[in-house]
Amino acid sequence: ILALLSMAFLRQLPKAAGSFAALSAALAFHKDGTAAAASPPVTELKYWNGRGLMDTPRMMLVLAGKSFQDVRIGEGEGYTPMDRLGDLGANLGRVPICETSLGSIGQSSAINYYVATQCGLMGDSPFEAAKILEMCAHIKELSDAYRSLVPYGSEPTAAALDKFFDLNEARDSTGRADMTKRSSRFLRWYLGRIEALIPGDGYLVGGKTSLADVMLFDLIANDLSPESAPALSADKR
């Protein structure tokens, strides 16, 4: 799904495609879970041994050259059992959790905001920060549209993929949204609308990499090659 999304992205969001090359190069070494060590640890991330809700903050820390403890739940060397994670109260007893010198942060949107701010990826003004959060909300809606057809943990069917990628009933990429086509808003509609918002300088907001760019990259292009993950099916890579 991610490889297909990446191709669709390059076709339908050409104004932002330039930032993906830089992100891909900067994050190439991150695939093995290694974090940059240019500065002392500033945070600890606690999550399952997977990408999921934690790879956006992981990637931001890598891009900023921040060292961090990537705590992954599991048994055996290199993993931490759930009962040794400590207090998870900030996320109602769940993960993800971001530990900081000031305390714990729960919920992925709050973690993304905190890490992006610490990494200089929230723009140069309150207005740019708001526009970045606006774009993140659009990207989250695109992800939710996919999950409405392919619930988390399920195998995508050919019919669901055809509907998500190819349904083109909602064609209003500018102007007031056509509410009669609300149930037909999938990839083509969201990418068309997002493309109309992009300034054309290769980035989503503010002329440089931000949380929004990383979040879109994570959704669309953060995939694994068959060689690096041969045990995973294509939709899970």
Side-chain angles (χ1 to χ4, degrees):
I1 180 66
L2 286 171
L4 293 172
L5 269 171
S6 183
M7 291 187 288
F9 169 86
L10 293 174
R11 289 197 303 269
Q12 299 190 52
L13 285 179
K15 289 191 288 185
S19 66
F20 270 36
L23 281 167
S24 296
L27 294 167
F29 68 96
H30 177 52
K31 294 300 184 182
D32 64 358
T34 302
S39 60
V42 296
T43 190
E44 181 180 73
L45 303 179
K46 299 177 180 179
Y47 194 58
W48 304 103
N49 181 32
R51 288 169 288 177
L53 298 174
M54 196 58 95
D55 239 23
T56 290
R58 288 173 184 146
M59 288 190 287
M60 288 190 290
L61 288 164
V62 169
L63 285 170
K66 305 272 188 192
S67 179
F68 65 100
Q69 294 183 34
D70 191 8
V71 179
R72 302 198 179 211
I73 301 169
E75 301 292 336
E77 185 177 357
Y79 299 100
T80 301
M82 176 68 82
D83 59 7
R84 292 178 54 194
L85 285 181
D87 183 15
L88 304 179
N91 201 3
L92 309 182
R94 306 165 298 178
V95 291
I97 287 285
C98 173
E99 296 289 357
T100 79
S101 60
L102 300 176
S104 302
I105 301 170
Q107 296 290 357
S108 58
S109 59
I111 293 169
N112 287 345
Y113 171 79
Y114 174 80
V115 173
T117 301
Q118 296 291 76
C119 293
L121 298 173
M122 279 305 296
D124 295 327
S125 69
F127 178 78
E128 283 191 358
K131 296 299 287 184
I132 290 167
L133 293 176
E134 170 193 284
M135 187 63 70
C136 290
H138 298 329
I139 296 166
K140 177 65 164 57
E141 285 189 18
L142 171 58
S143 177
D144 289 345
Y146 174 71
R147 287 300 173 200
S148 72
L149 300 175
V150 185
Y152 185 80
S154 67
E155 296 290 331
T157 65
L161 293 178
D162 286 344
K163 186 172 184 178
F164 180 73
F165 283 104
D166 296 328
L167 187 65
N168 200 25
E169 291 183 12
R171 303 182 182 182
D172 51 310
S173 59
T174 60
R176 182 174 297 176
D178 183 355
M179 297 300 289
T180 67
K181 303 294 185 181
R182 188 173 184 177
S183 62
S184 301
R185 296 173 185 169
F186 295 105
L187 182 72
R188 290 175 178 267
W189 186 85
Y190 279 101
L191 293 189
R193 283 279 175 171
I194 291 173
E195 171 71 3
L197 294 177
I198 298 172
D201 56 7
Y203 301 93
L204 297 184
V205 179
K208 61 182 180 180
T209 301
S210 71
L211 166 60
D213 296 281
V214 178
M215 189 170 173
L216 187 60
F217 180 92
D218 191 19
L219 175 66
I220 290 178
N222 185 20
D223 57 340
L224 300 172
S225 68
E227 295 75 22
S228 65
L232 296 179
S233 58
D235 61 287
K236 290 182 172 63
R237 288 198 299 267

Short mmCIF file of all heavy atoms in Angstrom, two decimals, residues 161-219:
data_model
loop_
_atom_site.label_atom_id
_atom_site.label_comp_id
_atom_site.label_asym_id
_atom_site.label_seq_id
_atom_site.Cartn_x
_atom_site.Cartn_y
_atom_site.Cartn_z
N LEU A 161 -8.82 -1.52 -2.23
CA LEU A 161 -7.72 -0.77 -2.82
C LEU A 161 -8.18 -0.02 -4.07
O LEU A 161 -7.79 1.13 -4.29
CB LEU A 161 -6.56 -1.70 -3.15
CG LEU A 161 -5.84 -2.32 -1.95
CD1 LEU A 161 -4.73 -3.26 -2.42
CD2 LEU A 161 -5.28 -1.26 -1.02
N ASP A 162 -8.98 -0.67 -4.89
CA ASP A 162 -9.50 0.00 -6.09
C ASP A 162 -10.31 1.23 -5.70
O ASP A 162 -10.20 2.29 -6.33
CB ASP A 162 -10.36 -0.97 -6.91
CG ASP A 162 -9.55 -2.01 -7.64
OD1 ASP A 162 -8.32 -1.82 -7.77
OD2 ASP A 162 -10.14 -3.02 -8.08
N LYS A 163 -11.13 1.08 -4.67
CA LYS A 163 -11.96 2.20 -4.25
C LYS A 163 -11.11 3.34 -3.69
O LYS A 163 -11.32 4.51 -4.03
CB LYS A 163 -12.96 1.74 -3.18
CG LYS A 163 -13.98 2.81 -2.77
CD LYS A 163 -15.05 2.22 -1.86
CE LYS A 163 -16.11 3.27 -1.54
NZ LYS A 163 -17.20 2.71 -0.69
N PHE A 164 -10.12 3.00 -2.88
CA PHE A 164 -9.30 4.05 -2.27
C PHE A 164 -8.45 4.78 -3.31
O PHE A 164 -8.37 6.00 -3.30
CB PHE A 164 -8.39 3.45 -1.20
CG PHE A 164 -7.51 4.46 -0.53
CD1 PHE A 164 -8.04 5.37 0.37
CD2 PHE A 164 -6.15 4.52 -0.81
CE1 PHE A 164 -7.23 6.33 0.97
CE2 PHE A 164 -5.34 5.47 -0.20
CZ PHE A 164 -5.89 6.37 0.69
N PHE A 165 -7.82 4.03 -4.21
CA PHE A 165 -6.91 4.65 -5.17
C PHE A 165 -7.61 5.26 -6.37
O PHE A 165 -7.18 6.31 -6.87
CB PHE A 165 -5.89 3.61 -5.67
CG PHE A 165 -4.80 3.33 -4.69
CD1 PHE A 165 -4.80 2.15 -3.95
CD2 PHE A 165 -3.76 4.21 -4.49
CE1 PHE A 165 -3.79 1.87 -3.05
CE2 PHE A 165 -2.75 3.96 -3.58
CZ PHE A 165 -2.76 2.78 -2.86
N ASP A 166 -8.66 4.62 -6.84
CA ASP A 166 -9.18 4.97 -8.16
C ASP A 166 -10.53 5.66 -8.17
O ASP A 166 -10.91 6.25 -9.19
CB ASP A 166 -9.26 3.72 -9.03
CG ASP A 166 -7.88 3.12 -9.29
OD1 ASP A 166 -6.91 3.88 -9.35
OD2 ASP A 166 -7.79 1.88 -9.41
N LEU A 167 -11.29 5.58 -7.07
CA LEU A 167 -12.60 6.23 -7.08
C LEU A 167 -12.44 7.71 -7.32
O LEU A 167 -11.70 8.40 -6.62
CB LEU A 167 -13.32 5.99 -5.75
CG LEU A 167 -14.78 6.47 -5.71
CD1 LEU A 167 -15.64 5.67 -6.68
CD2 LEU A 167 -15.35 6.36 -4.30
N ASN A 168 -13.15 8.22 -8.31
CA ASN A 168 -12.97 9.62 -8.72
C ASN A 168 -14.31 10.34 -8.82
O ASN A 168 -14.50 11.21 -9.66
CB ASN A 168 -12.23 9.67 -10.06
CG ASN A 168 -11.59 11.03 -10.31
OD1 ASN A 168 -11.29 11.76 -9.37
ND2 ASN A 168 -11.41 11.38 -11.56
N GLU A 169 -15.24 9.98 -7.94
CA GLU A 169 -16.54 10.63 -7.96
C GLU A 169 -16.48 12.03 -7.36
O GLU A 169 -17.16 12.94 -7.83
CB GLU A 169 -17.55 9.77 -7.20
CG GLU A 169 -17.90 8.46 -7.89
CD GLU A 169 -18.95 7.68 -7.13
OE1 GLU A 169 -19.56 8.25 -6.19
OE2 GLU A 169 -19.14 6.50 -7.45
N ALA A 170 -15.66 12.21 -6.32
CA ALA A 170 -15.49 13.53 -5.71
C ALA A 170 -14.34 14.24 -6.43
O ALA A 170 -13.18 14.00 -6.15
CB ALA A 170 -15.20 13.39 -4.22
N ARG A 171 -14.66 15.13 -7.37
CA ARG A 171 -13.65 15.76 -8.22
C ARG A 171 -13.44 17.24 -7.91
O ARG A 171 -12.74 17.93 -8.62
CB ARG A 171 -14.05 15.60 -9.69
CG ARG A 171 -14.23 14.16 -10.11
CD ARG A 171 -14.58 14.05 -11.57
NE ARG A 171 -14.80 12.66 -11.98
CZ ARG A 171 -15.09 12.28 -13.22
NH1 ARG A 171 -15.18 13.19 -14.17
NH2 ARG A 171 -15.28 11.00 -13.50
N ASP A 172 -14.06 17.72 -6.85
CA ASP A 172 -13.98 19.15 -6.52
C ASP A 172 -12.68 19.44 -5.78
O ASP A 172 -12.63 19.43 -4.57
CB ASP A 172 -15.19 19.56 -5.67
CG ASP A 172 -15.40 18.64 -4.48
OD1 ASP A 172 -15.42 17.41 -4.66
OD2 ASP A 172 -15.53 19.15 -3.36
N SER A 173 -11.61 19.71 -6.51
CA SER A 173 -10.31 19.94 -5.88
C SER A 173 -10.10 21.38 -5.45
O SER A 173 -9.13 21.68 -4.75
CB SER A 173 -9.19 19.53 -6.84
OG SER A 173 -9.27 20.26 -8.04
N THR A 174 -10.98 22.26 -5.82
CA THR A 174 -10.92 23.66 -5.37
C THR A 174 -12.33 24.14 -5.04
O THR A 174 -13.32 23.50 -5.40
CB THR A 174 -10.31 24.58 -6.46
OG1 THR A 174 -11.12 24.51 -7.64
CG2 THR A 174 -8.88 24.16 -6.79
N GLY A 175 -12.39 25.28 -4.39
CA GLY A 175 -13.69 25.87 -4.07
C GLY A 175 -14.39 25.16 -2.94
O GLY A 175 -13.81 24.34 -2.22
N ARG A 176 -15.66 25.47 -2.77
CA ARG A 176 -16.44 24.87 -1.70
C ARG A 176 -16.61 23.37 -1.95
O ARG A 176 -16.90 22.95 -3.06
CB ARG A 176 -17.81 25.54 -1.62
CG ARG A 176 -18.70 25.03 -0.49
CD ARG A 176 -19.97 25.84 -0.38
NE ARG A 176 -19.67 27.23 -0.03
CZ ARG A 176 -20.61 28.18 0.07
NH1 ARG A 176 -21.88 27.88 -0.18
NH2 ARG A 176 -20.27 29.41 0.38
N ALA A 177 -16.40 22.58 -0.91
CA ALA A 177 -16.50 21.13 -1.05
C ALA A 177 -17.94 20.72 -1.34
O ALA A 177 -18.89 21.27 -0.78
CB ALA A 177 -16.01 20.44 0.22
N ASP A 178 -18.08 19.75 -2.23
CA ASP A 178 -19.38 19.20 -2.61
C ASP A 178 -19.81 18.19 -1.55
O ASP A 178 -19.31 17.06 -1.52
CB ASP A 178 -19.28 18.55 -3.99
CG ASP A 178 -20.62 18.01 -4.49
OD1 ASP A 178 -21.62 18.05 -3.72
OD2 ASP A 178 -20.66 17.54 -5.64
N MET A 179 -20.73 18.59 -0.70
CA MET A 179 -21.14 17.73 0.40
C MET A 179 -21.87 16.47 -0.08
O MET A 179 -21.94 15.48 0.65
CB MET A 179 -22.01 18.51 1.38
CG MET A 179 -21.30 19.67 2.06
SD MET A 179 -19.86 19.13 3.03
CE MET A 179 -20.67 18.30 4.40
N THR A 180 -22.44 16.51 -1.30
CA THR A 180 -23.13 15.33 -1.80
C THR A 180 -22.16 14.19 -2.14
O THR A 180 -22.59 13.05 -2.31
CB THR A 180 -23.96 15.67 -3.05
OG1 THR A 180 -23.09 16.02 -4.13
CG2 THR A 180 -24.90 16.83 -2.77
N LYS A 181 -20.86 14.52 -2.23
CA LYS A 181 -19.84 13.51 -2.55
C LYS A 181 -18.99 13.17 -1.33
O LYS A 181 -17.92 12.58 -1.46
CB LYS A 181 -18.93 14.02 -3.66
CG LYS A 181 -19.65 14.41 -4.94
CD LYS A 181 -20.28 13.20 -5.61
CE LYS A 181 -20.89 13.58 -6.95
NZ LYS A 181 -21.53 12.42 -7.62
N ARG A 182 -19.48 13.51 -0.16
CA ARG A 182 -18.68 13.33 1.05
C ARG A 182 -18.25 11.88 1.26
O ARG A 182 -17.12 11.62 1.70
CB ARG A 182 -19.50 13.81 2.25
CG ARG A 182 -18.72 13.85 3.55
CD ARG A 182 -19.56 14.51 4.63
NE ARG A 182 -18.81 14.66 5.87
CZ ARG A 182 -19.28 15.24 6.96
NH1 ARG A 182 -20.51 15.74 6.96
NH2 ARG A 182 -18.54 15.34 8.05
N SER A 183 -19.10 10.93 0.94
CA SER A 183 -18.77 9.53 1.15
C SER A 183 -17.82 8.98 0.09
O SER A 183 -17.40 7.81 0.18
CB SER A 183 -20.06 8.68 1.17
OG SER A 183 -20.72 8.77 -0.09
N SER A 184 -17.46 9.79 -0.89
CA SER A 184 -16.59 9.35 -1.98
C SER A 184 -15.22 10.02 -1.93
O SER A 184 -14.50 10.01 -2.92
CB SER A 184 -17.26 9.65 -3.34
OG SER A 184 -18.51 9.01 -3.45
N ARG A 185 -14.87 10.58 -0.80
CA ARG A 185 -13.59 11.26 -0.67
C ARG A 185 -12.51 10.29 -0.23
O ARG A 185 -12.43 9.90 0.93
CB ARG A 185 -13.71 12.42 0.34
CG ARG A 185 -14.66 13.51 -0.09
CD ARG A 185 -14.87 14.52 1.02
NE ARG A 185 -15.87 15.52 0.66
CZ ARG A 185 -16.41 16.39 1.51
NH1 ARG A 185 -16.02 16.37 2.79
NH2 ARG A 185 -17.32 17.25 1.11
N PHE A 186 -11.66 9.94 -1.20
CA PHE A 186 -10.55 9.04 -0.90
C PHE A 186 -9.27 9.66 -1.45
O PHE A 186 -9.12 10.88 -1.44
CB PHE A 186 -10.84 7.63 -1.45
CG PHE A 186 -12.02 6.98 -0.76
CD1 PHE A 186 -13.25 6.88 -1.39
CD2 PHE A 186 -11.89 6.50 0.54
CE1 PHE A 186 -14.34 6.30 -0.75
CE2 PHE A 186 -12.98 5.92 1.20
CZ PHE A 186 -14.20 5.83 0.55
N LEU A 187 -8.33 8.86 -1.90
CA LEU A 187 -7.00 9.37 -2.23
C LEU A 187 -7.03 10.52 -3.23
O LEU A 187 -6.40 11.56 -3.01
CB LEU A 187 -6.14 8.23 -2.79
CG LEU A 187 -4.70 8.62 -3.12
CD1 LEU A 187 -3.89 8.84 -1.85
CD2 LEU A 187 -4.04 7.55 -3.98
N ARG A 188 -7.73 10.36 -4.33
CA ARG A 188 -7.71 11.38 -5.37
C ARG A 188 -8.25 12.71 -4.86
O ARG A 188 -7.71 13.77 -5.16
CB ARG A 188 -8.52 10.91 -6.59
CG ARG A 188 -7.86 9.78 -7.36
CD ARG A 188 -8.76 9.29 -8.48
NE ARG A 188 -8.12 8.24 -9.26
CZ ARG A 188 -7.42 8.43 -10.36
NH1 ARG A 188 -7.25 9.67 -10.81
NH2 ARG A 188 -6.88 7.42 -11.01
N TRP A 189 -9.31 12.66 -4.07
CA TRP A 189 -9.89 13.91 -3.57
C TRP A 189 -8.94 14.60 -2.60
O TRP A 189 -8.68 15.80 -2.72
CB TRP A 189 -11.23 13.63 -2.88
CG TRP A 189 -11.95 14.88 -2.47
CD1 TRP A 189 -12.77 15.65 -3.25
CD2 TRP A 189 -11.91 15.53 -1.19
NE1 TRP A 189 -13.25 16.74 -2.54
CE2 TRP A 189 -12.72 16.69 -1.27
CE3 TRP A 189 -11.26 15.25 0.01
CZ2 TRP A 189 -12.91 17.55 -0.20
CZ3 TRP A 189 -11.44 16.10 1.08
CH2 TRP A 189 -12.25 17.24 0.98
N TYR A 190 -8.39 13.84 -1.65
CA TYR A 190 -7.50 14.46 -0.65
C TYR A 190 -6.23 15.00 -1.29
O TYR A 190 -5.79 16.11 -0.98
CB TYR A 190 -7.17 13.46 0.46
CG TYR A 190 -8.25 13.37 1.50
CD1 TYR A 190 -9.16 12.32 1.49
CD2 TYR A 190 -8.40 14.35 2.47
CE1 TYR A 190 -10.17 12.23 2.44
CE2 TYR A 190 -9.41 14.28 3.42
CZ TYR A 190 -10.29 13.22 3.40
OH TYR A 190 -11.30 13.16 4.34
N LEU A 191 -5.60 14.23 -2.18
CA LEU A 191 -4.37 14.72 -2.80
C LEU A 191 -4.64 15.92 -3.69
O LEU A 191 -3.82 16.84 -3.77
CB LEU A 191 -3.69 13.60 -3.59
CG LEU A 191 -3.12 12.44 -2.78
CD1 LEU A 191 -2.30 11.52 -3.67
CD2 LEU A 191 -2.28 12.91 -1.60
N GLY A 192 -5.78 15.93 -4.36
CA GLY A 192 -6.12 17.09 -5.17
C GLY A 192 -6.30 18.34 -4.33
O GLY A 192 -5.81 19.43 -4.68
N ARG A 193 -6.97 18.19 -3.22
CA ARG A 193 -7.19 19.33 -2.32
C ARG A 193 -5.88 19.80 -1.67
O ARG A 193 -5.61 20.99 -1.57
CB ARG A 193 -8.20 18.94 -1.23
CG ARG A 193 -9.64 18.92 -1.71
CD ARG A 193 -10.20 20.32 -1.73
NE ARG A 193 -11.55 20.38 -2.30
CZ ARG A 193 -12.30 21.48 -2.26
NH1 ARG A 193 -11.85 22.58 -1.68
NH2 ARG A 193 -13.49 21.49 -2.81
N ILE A 194 -5.07 18.85 -1.22
CA ILE A 194 -3.79 19.20 -0.58
C ILE A 194 -2.86 19.87 -1.58
O ILE A 194 -2.20 20.87 -1.27
CB ILE A 194 -3.15 17.96 0.06
CG1 ILE A 194 -3.97 17.49 1.27
CG2 ILE A 194 -1.71 18.25 0.48
CD1 ILE A 194 -3.51 16.16 1.86
N GLU A 195 -2.82 19.34 -2.80
CA GLU A 195 -1.96 19.93 -3.83
C GLU A 195 -2.32 21.40 -4.07
O GLU A 195 -1.45 22.25 -4.28
CB GLU A 195 -2.09 19.13 -5.13
CG GLU A 195 -1.43 19.76 -6.35
CD GLU A 195 0.10 19.73 -6.32
OE1 GLU A 195 0.67 19.16 -5.36
OE2 GLU A 195 0.70 20.28 -7.25
N ALA A 196 -3.62 21.70 -4.00
CA ALA A 196 -4.06 23.08 -4.23
C ALA A 196 -3.58 24.02 -3.13
O ALA A 196 -3.51 25.24 -3.34
CB ALA A 196 -5.58 23.12 -4.34
N LEU A 197 -3.23 23.48 -1.96
CA LEU A 197 -2.79 24.31 -0.83
C LEU A 197 -1.28 24.54 -0.81
O LEU A 197 -0.79 25.46 -0.15
CB LEU A 197 -3.19 23.66 0.50
CG LEU A 197 -4.66 23.53 0.81
CD1 LEU A 197 -4.85 22.79 2.13
CD2 LEU A 197 -5.33 24.91 0.88
N ILE A 198 -0.53 23.70 -1.52
CA ILE A 198 0.93 23.73 -1.43
C ILE A 198 1.48 24.91 -2.23
O ILE A 198 1.09 25.13 -3.38
CB ILE A 198 1.51 22.40 -1.94
CG1 ILE A 198 1.02 21.24 -1.07
CG2 ILE A 198 3.03 22.45 -1.95
CD1 ILE A 198 1.40 19.88 -1.60
N PRO A 199 2.42 25.68 -1.66
CA PRO A 199 2.92 26.88 -2.34
C PRO A 199 3.77 26.62 -3.57
O PRO A 199 3.95 27.51 -4.39
CB PRO A 199 3.74 27.59 -1.25
CG PRO A 199 4.12 26.51 -0.29
CD PRO A 199 2.98 25.55 -0.29
N GLY A 200 4.33 25.43 -3.72
CA GLY A 200 5.10 25.13 -4.91
C GLY A 200 6.60 25.25 -4.75
O GLY A 200 7.34 25.20 -5.73
N ASP A 201 7.08 25.39 -3.50
CA ASP A 201 8.52 25.50 -3.26
C ASP A 201 9.14 24.19 -2.80
O ASP A 201 10.29 24.16 -2.36
CB ASP A 201 8.80 26.59 -2.23
CG ASP A 201 8.06 26.38 -0.91
OD1 ASP A 201 7.43 25.30 -0.76
OD2 ASP A 201 8.09 27.27 -0.06
N GLY A 202 8.40 23.12 -2.90
CA GLY A 202 8.91 21.82 -2.52
C GLY A 202 8.57 21.38 -1.11
O GLY A 202 8.91 20.27 -0.71
N TYR A 203 7.91 22.24 -0.35
CA TYR A 203 7.55 21.94 1.04
C TYR A 203 6.07 22.23 1.26
O TYR A 203 5.45 22.99 0.51
CB TYR A 203 8.40 22.75 2.01
CG TYR A 203 9.88 22.49 1.84
CD1 TYR A 203 10.66 23.29 1.00
CD2 TYR A 203 10.50 21.44 2.51
CE1 TYR A 203 12.02 23.04 0.83
CE2 TYR A 203 11.85 21.18 2.34
CZ TYR A 203 12.61 21.99 1.50
OH TYR A 203 13.95 21.73 1.33
N LEU A 204 5.52 21.65 2.31
CA LEU A 204 4.10 21.85 2.57
C LEU A 204 3.80 23.20 3.20
O LEU A 204 2.80 23.83 2.88
CB LEU A 204 3.58 20.72 3.48
CG LEU A 204 3.64 19.31 2.89
CD1 LEU A 204 3.01 18.31 3.86
CD2 LEU A 204 2.96 19.23 1.54
N VAL A 205 4.67 23.64 4.11
CA VAL A 205 4.44 24.91 4.82
C VAL A 205 5.78 25.58 5.09
O VAL A 205 6.75 24.92 5.51
CB VAL A 205 3.72 24.69 6.18
CG1 VAL A 205 3.52 26.02 6.90
CG2 VAL A 205 2.38 23.98 5.99
N GLY A 206 5.86 26.88 4.87
CA GLY A 206 6.99 27.66 5.36
C GLY A 206 8.30 27.55 4.61
O GLY A 206 9.32 28.07 5.08
N GLY A 207 8.33 26.87 3.48
CA GLY A 207 9.54 26.81 2.69
C GLY A 207 10.66 25.95 3.25
O GLY A 207 11.81 26.06 2.82
N LYS A 208 10.34 25.08 4.20
CA LYS A 208 11.35 24.17 4.75
C LYS A 208 10.64 22.98 5.39
O LYS A 208 9.42 23.00 5.59
CB LYS A 208 12.24 24.88 5.77
CG LYS A 208 11.50 25.41 6.99
CD LYS A 208 12.46 26.15 7.93
CE LYS A 208 11.73 26.68 9.15
NZ LYS A 208 12.66 27.40 10.07
N THR A 209 11.43 21.96 5.72
CA THR A 209 10.86 20.76 6.31
C THR A 209 10.18 21.07 7.64
O THR A 209 10.73 21.79 8.47
CB THR A 209 11.95 19.70 6.54
OG1 THR A 209 12.57 19.39 5.29
CG2 THR A 209 11.36 18.43 7.12
N SER A 210 9.00 20.51 7.81
CA SER A 210 8.24 20.70 9.05
C SER A 210 7.60 19.38 9.45
O SER A 210 7.70 18.37 8.74
CB SER A 210 7.15 21.76 8.86
OG SER A 210 6.10 21.26 8.04
N LEU A 211 6.93 19.39 10.57
CA LEU A 211 6.17 18.23 11.02
C LEU A 211 5.24 17.74 9.91
O LEU A 211 5.08 16.53 9.72
CB LEU A 211 5.35 18.59 12.27
CG LEU A 211 4.25 17.61 12.70
CD1 LEU A 211 4.83 16.24 13.02
CD2 LEU A 211 3.49 18.17 13.90
N ALA A 212 4.63 18.64 9.17
CA ALA A 212 3.70 18.25 8.11
C ALA A 212 4.38 17.41 7.05
O ALA A 212 3.84 16.39 6.60
CB ALA A 212 3.06 19.49 7.49
N ASP A 213 5.59 17.81 6.62
CA ASP A 213 6.32 17.04 5.61
C ASP A 213 6.65 15.64 6.14
O ASP A 213 6.51 14.65 5.41
CB ASP A 213 7.62 17.76 5.24
CG ASP A 213 7.37 19.10 4.58
OD1 ASP A 213 7.07 19.11 3.39
OD2 ASP A 213 7.49 20.13 5.27
N VAL A 214 7.11 15.57 7.38
CA VAL A 214 7.49 14.29 7.95
C VAL A 214 6.26 13.39 8.09
O VAL A 214 6.31 12.19 7.80
CB VAL A 214 8.19 14.47 9.30
CG1 VAL A 214 8.55 13.12 9.92
CG2 VAL A 214 9.45 15.31 9.15
N MET A 215 5.15 13.96 8.50
CA MET A 215 3.93 13.18 8.68
C MET A 215 3.43 12.63 7.34
O MET A 215 3.01 11.46 7.26
CB MET A 215 2.85 14.04 9.35
CG MET A 215 1.63 13.27 9.79
SD MET A 215 0.56 14.31 10.82
CE MET A 215 -0.85 13.22 11.02
N LEU A 216 3.49 13.44 6.28
CA LEU A 216 3.07 12.97 4.97
C LEU A 216 4.03 11.91 4.44
O LEU A 216 3.62 10.90 3.86
CB LEU A 216 2.97 14.14 3.99
CG LEU A 216 2.37 13.79 2.61
CD1 LEU A 216 0.96 13.25 2.74
CD2 LEU A 216 2.38 15.01 1.69
N PHE A 217 5.32 12.13 4.65
CA PHE A 217 6.33 11.14 4.26
C PHE A 217 6.07 9.82 4.97
O PHE A 217 6.12 8.74 4.36
CB PHE A 217 7.72 11.67 4.59
CG PHE A 217 8.84 10.72 4.24
CD1 PHE A 217 9.47 10.79 3.01
CD2 PHE A 217 9.27 9.77 5.16
CE1 PHE A 217 10.50 9.90 2.70
CE2 PHE A 217 10.31 8.88 4.86
CZ PHE A 217 10.92 8.96 3.61
N ASP A 218 5.78 9.89 6.26
CA ASP A 218 5.54 8.68 7.04
C ASP A 218 4.34 7.91 6.49
O ASP A 218 4.36 6.68 6.40
CB ASP A 218 5.30 9.06 8.50
CG ASP A 218 5.29 7.86 9.44
OD1 ASP A 218 5.82 6.80 9.05
OD2 ASP A 218 4.76 7.99 10.55
N LEU A 219 3.30 8.62 6.08
CA LEU A 219 2.10 7.97 5.56
C LEU A 219 2.32 7.37 4.19
O LEU A 219 1.89 6.26 3.90
CB LEU A 219 0.94 8.97 5.51
CG LEU A 219 -0.36 8.45 4.87
CD1 LEU A 219 -0.97 7.35 5.74
CD2 LEU A 219 -1.35 9.59 4.67
#
